[in-house]
Amino acid sequence: MVSRLPFLLCLLLALASALATNLCKPEADNGYKVRLSIKTALGDKAYEWNESEMFLFRATLAFAMRKHFNTETYDVSNILVCNDTPRVSFWFVVTKPENTSQLVPGAQVEVAVRKSRNRINSAFLLTDQTLQFLGIPPTLAAPYEPATPPWLIVFGVVISLVTIGILALLISTFVQKRRKGKAMPEEEKMENVYENSLEGKSGALNGGFVEDDKYTQL
Amino acid sequence: MEKDARPSWENPMQFVLACVSYAVGLGNVWRFPYLCQMHGGGGFLIPYLIMLVVEGVPLFYMELAIGQKMRLGSIGAWSAISPYLGGVGIASVVTSTFLCLYYNVINGWAFWYLFHSFQSVLPWADCPLNNNQTGYLEECEVATPTQYFFYRETLNISSSINENGGIHMGQALCLLLAWMIVYLCIVRGVESTGKVVYFTATFPYVVLIIYLIRGVTLHGALNGVRYMFTPKMEQLANPATWINAATQIFFSLGLGFGSLIAFASYNEHHNNFERQAVVVSMINSGTSIFASIVTFSIYGFKATFNYESCLERVRLLLLNTFDMAENTISMDNIDYWISELNRTHPEQFAGIASKLETCDLEAELDTAVEGTGLAFIVYSEAIKNMPLSQLWSVLYFFMLLMLGIGSMLGNVTAIITPLRDWKLLSRHFSNETLNGLVCVFCFFLGLGFTTSSGNYWFTIFNDYGATLSLLFIVLIETVSVSYIYGLRRFEKDVEDMLGHRPNWYWKIMWAAVSPLLLIGLFMFYIVNYIMGGTPTYQVWDKYSGQSVTMAYPAFAQAFIGLLLVSSMGCVPLVALYVLWKKKRHGVEVTDSTLST
């Protein structure tokens, strides 16, 4: 009996892993395909994808499940991975911690992943585009919207400058005209001085130039 | 004391720069490169230069001579040549008004883009997000972000000319700013314009040189330049090439608007306009060629960028479908892998065959665009992919502004000079008030172009407002100078101003070659209008993200007819009016002499 124990244990483990393998397969109902593009994202600094990296992935996913359900029951062994390809893409499913033959519904996995997407990305130094969960669209970051649109600020500056320029030109033209207007009446007054001096004298009769041809007829 | 002495340029350089600033405009940047590409690249230079020598320079010379001799705006100058020809001047003023109305809207757009460049991320670089932040706005997805920014955020365009909407406040503000700047430049007439043109004429060249250096150092730029300069000589046999060369020279020099006559009317009597005419025409054409080198290096960059993005997408598609390691397929061996995978996994390959794009660099280079599409969509797209894109964007749109405002100065001067010459107005209104009224009037009418369907009305004005009418006006101008005024009188006037008569080359051009050429162009345009059937226009379809061709509705066609008639009709109307007045006056004179 005792000697059969390790044999039974092995059988159980084999069964468990067989079940696990059956749970995780491509196009699984509650599973998702993950694709990593490490060389595209990191170029020269790209790391090799190996078992340890896979372990990290399973650990981060377990963390995401813990965070979402707010329990401490999820473990690395609950994340099952299969169909690993050279592309670095694979399928994963999440089993329930209480009952490892049952899968967590895909919708809940999706919500959990979306919540912790940033943390998962950062663990691998990747982005939403290079670490893809096919079927889980990324939540795009809302662009920063400042209170006043920046273009309005630049516009305000430019139009104020132009307005000041126009006013400056108009005022200087107006002042010039006023100055010319003041100069003009002075000139006229000078002319008027002469006119006035002439006006009083309508002309005095100068007897020396009176025609006296009636006296001198030759 | 001459209180009303005609103002004049401070020195001849100001006049030359004003002409350069007026002639070198947006058309040099966005029309000439397109024509070059359409008509065989380097080979297009042959008809272009021939037309410059045969048509451009002689007509330019003639307009400057008239303006400098008569020392009046277009209406006064033509009335002085012959009282029956006052209508030619009025037609010029009407055409200039149409141009002023819509041209400043382009400056408004340039301001809009310029102000939007002062952001950390250019707004036309990315699509805005949709409501639940899972993806981008649909209209932006089907089109490109630059097209979305232009058609939706800048224009807020409606889906046809029938549908109207409200005024786009941002556009209205930018148009207001554009008119205020034009007013600031012309407020004191030639005195202020003369100083502004130092900047508006030279700054675009600074930016073009900077862009040339940046452009040719971009990745893939040489593809574009090589493509443009490879001559396709068979295009020379196509009559459209010669016609387009002639019209391009004609419109690029800005003949017939009355601006050249107005500018020249402020010249000293003995100014050597002959040399200046040749110089300005050469500068204008040289700038066109220079700008097209810049444009084609940008094209080359954009085409190469799109081509390489296409290749990248194909590569990713293959990698993802066949789950191969990332470094197995690179840009160079894509074709090998396509055939290989087709051979080894035919069913899987057939599954993705529909998504597989064919990436063709030639096809990308072939997409030729002109007009506002080139300036605001293609260029913005290229700029957003450059490093330090905000700087390049600011420089580029500032250059567009300088080009646009330089041309506006000429057009507004063409309206204001004849108005000032009219004693009735100049007695009651000061210089500044008259200029201000013209600007305010044009601004309020121009607000119509900032509505939702405004871009479609803009296209009507752009295509029909100043094309046929100008050909007609300049044709009448050449014929009247050569035959009504008489070449002999004209020669004597030129001799009086320059000290020597124009040589036989000019005379042959004015009397024979240019009129024939203009008649030919005019006939061609009329035949084209008639044979083309219902005129059509491009409509932005927001569901497919494409421009769709639609026919103009009846009221739009009637409006086109009105545009053409209102400018060209001035010539016969005024001639008839003067004839009628003379007949009446003549009869009265004879009556009065008989009665005494």
Side-chain angles (χ1 to χ4, degrees), chain B residues 48 67 120 206 239 272 327 346 358 366 418:
Chain B
Y48 184 72
S120 52
V206 172
N272 186 357
N327 48 7
T358 36
D366 261 339

Side-chain angles (χ1 to χ4, degrees), chain B residues 27-28 32 145 184 206 261 280 292 305 331 347 350 364 382 443 451 487 562 588 596:
Chain B
N28 298 64
F32 180 79
L184 180 66
V206 172
I261 297 181
V280 173
S292 56
F305 185 86
M331 299 288 222
E347 316 87 41
E364 290 281 341
F443 166 64
T451 59
L487 264 185
L562 186 66
E588 277 173 18
T596 42

Side-chain angles (χ1 to χ4, degrees), chain A residues 144-194:
Chain A
Y144 166 65
E145 297 247 348
T148 343
W151 79 268
L152 214 49
I153 300 172
V154 187
F155 170 79
V157 168
V158 174
I159 205 168
S160 321
L161 290 173
V162 172
T163 316
I164 293 173
I166 292 178
L167 287 175
L169 273 180
L170 287 178
I171 290 176
S172 74
T173 316
F174 184 64
V175 164
Q176 264 183 23
K177 281 211 179 121
R178 278 261 301 271
R179 273 203 210 124
K180 264 197 211 150
K182 277 198 192 133
M184 279 297 289
E186 282 175 19
E187 282 178 30
E188 285 173 15
K189 272 192 211 134
M190 284 161 69
E191 289 175 27
N192 282 339
V193 163
Y194 295 124

Side-chain angles (χ1 to χ4, degrees), chain A residues 33 35-40 85-87 89 114 132 137-143 150-152 154-155 158-159 162-163 165-166 169-170 172-173 176-177 184, chain B residues 1 111-112 115-116 118-119 129 132-136 170 173-174 176-177 180-181 183-184 187-188 192 312 315-316 319-320 323-327 430-432:
Chain A
K33 182 169 181 181
R35 187 188 291 143
L36 287 89
S37 311
I38 308 171
K39 292 199 175 55
T40 316
T85 67
R87 173 72 181 83
S89 68
R114 288 187 86 172
Q132 292 167 298
T139 311
L140 299 164
W151 79 268
L152 214 49
V154 187
F155 170 79
V158 174
I159 205 168
V162 172
T163 316
I166 292 178
L169 273 180
L170 287 178
S172 74
T173 316
Q176 264 183 23
K177 281 211 179 121
M184 279 297 289
Chain B
M1 184 179 73
F111 269 121
W112 172 265
F115 295 148
H116 275 86
F118 288 95
Q119 285 176 333
L129 302 178
N132 47 6
Q133 293 192 342
T134 50
Y136 300 113
L173 287 174
C174 290
L176 174 68
L177 179 63
M180 281 173 73
I181 289 193
Y183 180 61
L184 180 66
V187 63
R188 283 219 190 132
S192 47
E312 178 70 18
R315 171 176 163 266
L316 269 179
L319 283 179
N320 291 347
D323 281 322
M324 297 157 39
E326 277 179 282
N327 48 7
S430 75
N431 213 358
E432 291 80 11

Side-chain angles (χ1 to χ4, degrees), chain B residues 128-418:
Chain B
L129 302 178
N130 61 13
N131 284 339
N132 47 6
Q133 293 192 342
T134 50
Y136 300 113
L137 276 182
E138 209 192 300
E139 187 179 351
C140 195
E141 286 272 339
V142 288
T144 61
T146 39
Q147 283 177 318
Y148 175 79
F149 184 76
F150 183 63
Y151 287 113
R152 188 55 47 214
E153 300 204 12
T154 310
L155 299 176
N156 197 18
I157 207 165
S158 65
S159 46
S160 81
I161 200 170
N162 309 2
E163 293 172 31
N164 264 322
I167 293 182
H168 187 299
M169 277 323 289
Q171 288 305 307
L173 287 174
C174 290
L175 184 65
L176 174 68
L177 179 63
W179 274 111
M180 281 173 73
I181 289 193
V182 168
Y183 180 61
L184 180 66
C185 297
I186 55 153
V187 63
R188 283 219 190 132
V190 192
E191 194 186 317
S192 47
T193 311
K195 296 197 177 56
V196 169
V197 292
Y198 280 116
F199 187 65
T200 60
T202 50
F203 186 78
Y205 289 99
V206 172
V207 176
L208 276 175
I209 291 176
I210 296 176
Y211 253 93
L212 181 71
I213 300 174
R214 168 76 274 203
V216 297
T217 53
L218 283 172
H219 170 61
L222 290 173
N223 289 338
V225 178
R226 201 183 317 130
Y227 180 78
M228 173 194 150
F229 280 110
T230 326
K232 299 184 193 71
M233 286 302 184
E234 59 274 8
Q235 280 289 330
L236 287 182
N238 179 5
T241 310
W242 295 87
I243 289 169
N244 279 333
T247 43
Q248 175 59 16
I249 286 282
F250 185 80
F251 293 126
S252 180
L253 286 174
L255 304 165
F257 282 107
S259 312
L260 296 170
I261 297 181
F263 278 152
S265 69
Y266 297 111
N267 272 340
E268 299 295 314
H269 190 62
H270 294 290
N271 179 46
N272 186 357
F273 61 88
E274 179 172 344
R275 194 158 37 127
Q276 290 165 344
V278 176
V279 163
V280 173
S281 311
M282 296 294 165
I283 292 180
N284 182 49
S285 297
T287 311
S288 291
I289 298 175
F290 184 45
S292 56
I293 299 179
V294 176
T295 304
F296 272 91
S297 48
I298 305 274
Y299 262 160
F301 166 70
K302 178 175 122 36
T304 311
F305 185 86
N306 286 349
Y307 171 68
E308 289 180 354
S309 305
C310 174
L311 283 179
E312 178 70 18
R313 286 194 297 273
V314 169
R315 171 176 163 266
L316 269 179
L317 180 66
L318 289 175
L319 283 179
N320 291 347
T321 320
F322 296 99
D323 281 322
M324 297 157 39
E326 277 179 282
N327 48 7
T328 43
I329 307 185
S330 72
M331 299 288 222
D332 310 315
N333 50 18
I334 279 189
D335 293 318
Y336 161 73
W337 275 108
I338 288 180
S339 45
E340 181 70 23
L341 290 168
N342 199 3
R343 197 175 54 84
T344 48
H345 302 83
E347 316 87 41
Q348 243 185 324
F349 196 85
I352 58 158
S354 55
K355 286 188 256 174
L356 207 63
E357 310 170 51
T358 36
C359 302
D360 186 3
L361 186 59
E362 284 286 318
E364 290 281 341
L365 286 169
D366 261 339
T367 53
V369 189
E370 60 160 337
T372 52
L374 171 62
F376 294 103
I377 299 180
V378 171
Y379 256 92
S380 330
E381 205 174 302
I383 287 173
K384 80 170 192 217
N385 294 323
M386 294 184 198
L388 272 189
S389 44
Q390 290 86 350
L391 170 69
W392 299 109
S393 180
V394 167
L395 267 181
Y396 171 68
F397 288 110
F398 200 62
M399 177 190 77
L400 278 192
L401 267 175
M402 290 297 108
L403 290 173
I405 292 201
S407 302
M408 273 305 288
L409 294 182
N411 284 308
V412 177
T413 311
I415 301 177
I416 284 175
T417 310

Side-chain angles (χ1 to χ4, degrees), chain B residues 94-111:
Chain B
V94 169
T95 315
S96 286
T97 313
F98 290 155
L99 192 89
C100 282
L101 287 179
Y102 80 82
Y103 202 78
N104 227 9
V105 176
I106 304 175
N107 288 334
W109 296 337
F111 269 121

